[in-house]
Amino acid sequence: QLQLIESGGGLVQAGGSLRLSCAASGRTFSSYDMGWFRQAPGKEREFVAAINWSGGTTYYAVSVKGRFTISRDNAKKLVYLQMNSLKPEDTALYYCAADRKGRRDLRDQNYAYWGQGTQVTVSS
């Protein structure tokens, strides 16, 4: 069983930056595709970014493209989400997710493992 723990959330002003981290347990981290999702109050959970097992392929939601960057360090079993130029509409609970490599579409929500979430709040 893979365990995921997010960290790095907090309160920032619009235009500021945060870096979220997702720590994964297990000894086969490099065999997993990873994604970040978020859910704001009153809204559906939505895709934010994803990275394949090797780090060679990434995907971003249109709403965050150019502002957010997903990366991974397989040696440290960590996935990062660097968030720049934050907007109030980025306020949400952010989740990281993992699934065995080779999934058809990294942007869907059919991931096998999910973290507990970390809160990001952006003030205007």
Side-chain angles (χ1 to χ4, degrees):
Q1 183 78 8
L2 187 68
Q3 289 192 44
L4 305 174
I5 302 176
E6 303 97 331
S7 62
L11 174 64
V12 297
Q13 295 187 82
S17 298
L18 281 175
R19 187 175 76 163
L20 305 184
S21 297
C22 178
S25 66
R27 293 140 82 177
T28 56
F29 178 70
S30 62
S31 297
Y32 290 86
D33 296 324
M34 305 293 298
W36 284 98
F37 297 80
R38 67 187 183 186
Q39 186 169 28
K43 294 186 177 181
E44 298 294 316
R45 186 174 64 192
E46 64 177 355
F47 166 77
V48 176
I51 187 167
N52 80 328
W53 63 275
S54 69
T57 303
T58 58
Y59 298 93
Y60 296 94
V62 172
S63 60
V64 307
K65 201 167 188 176
R67 300 188 298 120
F68 291 10
T69 302
I70 187 171
S71 61
R72 68 190 296 162
D73 185 335
N74 286 345
K76 295 181 178 180
K77 300 179 181 179
L78 291 172
V79 176
Y80 304 101
L81 184 67
Q82 178 65 47
M83 306 185 294
N84 298 325
S85 302
L86 284 163
K87 305 174 181 179
E89 48 262 48
D90 294 318
T91 295
L93 188 64
Y94 283 70
Y95 299 91
C96 69
D99 209 345
R100 300 297 294 271
K101 68 178 182 181
R103 62 164 43 249
R104 182 176 180 179
D105 190 349
L106 301 185
R107 298 164 293 185
D108 65 37
Q109 299 195 34
N110 298 321
Y111 283 77
Y113 305 98
W114 294 81
Q116 82 288 348
T118 185
Q119 180 67 39
V120 172
T121 302
V122 184
S123 61
S124 59

